Amino acid sequence: MNPPPDKTRVFAGAKVPEVFLVFWIVKVLTTGIGETAADFMGTHSLVVAGLVGVGGFAVVLWLQLRADAYHPVRYWAAVLMVAVFGTMIADGPHVVLGTPYYVDTLLYLVVLAGLLAWWKRSEGTLSVHSITTPRRERFYWGTVLITFGLGTALGDTTAQDLHLGFAWSVVLFAALILVPLAVWSVARRGGSLALPVATFWAAYALTRPLGASIADWMATRYGLDWGTGPVTAVGVALFALLVAYLTVTRADAARPLAAGTSAVAPVTEEVTA
């Protein structure tokens, strides 16, 4: 049976995982894998890079959007392929047009701000707990994709345009990602509703340059020089183990809606989002 049209289709609960420590670990892993996998394929075969980056991204996202419930394998496969594709779209303007990475960073920042404003105006909330309809899920994945492009360009800006290199970029972004964590902690104690959502998306965007800088430092001659292939392989192995753990334990399964709560109403923008 075909699913009902978007106007009437409502999920039983949020189609994204609960946010806790393992979520952030897997997220950072996907960013590193996306960086080195895209570089590895790009230097060996542009055809393979296109098939995997574009084709793989389209297939896994199609499968994710067709589903009516959250599943760790389906969701994290989509995040991983967004990481690979996001690297390609971030590097593309620089390689093809020769634009500086800081220009690409500003462009993605403007696009991200515009998309979040549209999402907020349309749905009344940016909380990940509100991803209960196809429209909200499309906003979510569009935002995720832009954060990957933004993070890739930002990481390249610090490493190359600002000449910090990968090691100091790791230090910089590791420090920066503590800022939204600190603000989240204060907002949680103060009962703020909006700040936790803002800090979630800030931290989400910062995981990209952090993970990519770590992976680049491990893979290139400016760090450990292990090579993009081996670093990608190790990252994929760790990623598979963690996603298998989440699949078996369901530790990050999205919680069901409370009784009497409408799945399409704006939900409280809680501290975990």
Side-chain angles (χ1 to χ4, degrees):
M1 178 183 294
N2 293 326
D6 282 0
K7 290 184 179 180
T8 59
R9 187 180 173 202
V10 178
F11 312 132
K15 268 187 67 181
V16 297
E18 288 294 308
V19 179
F20 69 123
L21 180 60
V22 177
F23 173 92
W24 293 112
I25 294 174
V26 181
K27 175 62 169 59
V28 171
L29 267 177
T30 64
T31 65
I33 295 168
E35 178 74 11
T36 54
D39 290 345
F40 178 79
M41 291 185 293
T43 56
H44 287 79
S45 174
L46 292 178
V47 174
V48 172
L51 288 174
V52 174
V54 180
F57 165 73
V59 169
V60 296
L61 191 58
W62 178 75
L63 292 173
Q64 168 67 21
L65 293 174
R66 276 184 57 85
D68 287 321
Y70 166 73
H71 190 278
V73 173
R74 186 168 49 231
Y75 173 86
W76 285 112
V79 174
L80 182 60
M81 292 312 303
V82 169
V84 176
F85 183 67
T87 300
M88 294 177 176
I89 63 171
D91 288 340
H94 175 78
V95 173
V96 176
L97 302 177
T99 56
Y101 283 118
Y102 67 84
V103 172
D104 299 337
T105 300
L106 292 175
L107 174 61
Y108 280 114
L109 187 60
V110 170
V111 172
L112 178 62
L115 180 57
L116 289 173
W118 181 18
W119 182 0
K120 176 70 173 179
R121 182 180 180 85
S122 174
E123 300 298 319
T125 177
L126 302 177
S127 171
V128 293
H129 295 308
S130 73
I131 312 302
T132 54
T133 68
R135 180 179 174 84
R136 290 178 181 178
E137 188 179 15
R138 288 194 293 268
F139 273 121
Y140 174 81
W141 286 108
T143 303
V144 168
L145 177 60
I146 297 303
T147 64
F148 273 94
L150 169 63
T152 302
L154 180 59
D156 289 332
T157 296
T158 61
Q160 299 184 40
D161 290 351
L162 299 181
H163 307 293
L164 291 182
F166 297 125
W168 281 109
S169 291
V170 171
V171 174
L172 173 64
F173 292 117
L176 286 177
I177 206 168
L178 294 177
V179 175
L181 176 61
V183 174
W184 170 83
S185 180
V186 172
R188 182 179 187 180
R189 290 196 296 270
S192 170
L193 299 180
L195 275 179
V197 173
T199 56
F200 168 81
W201 285 112
Y204 197 94
L206 285 170
T207 58
R208 173 60 190 181
L210 175 60
S213 296
I214 293 172
D216 280 332
W217 175 76
M218 295 174 65
T220 68
R221 62 186 178 87
Y222 302 103
L224 299 179
D225 200 19
W226 288 356
T228 54
V231 171
T232 300
V234 171
V236 169
L238 292 174
F239 170 82
L241 287 173
L242 286 172
V243 173
Y245 162 78
L246 294 174
T247 302
V248 172
T249 64
R250 303 293 291 179
D252 69 340
R255 60 191 175 188
L257 292 173
T261 301
S262 170
V264 295
V267 299
T268 300
E269 300 195 351
E270 300 175 59
V271 294
T272 53

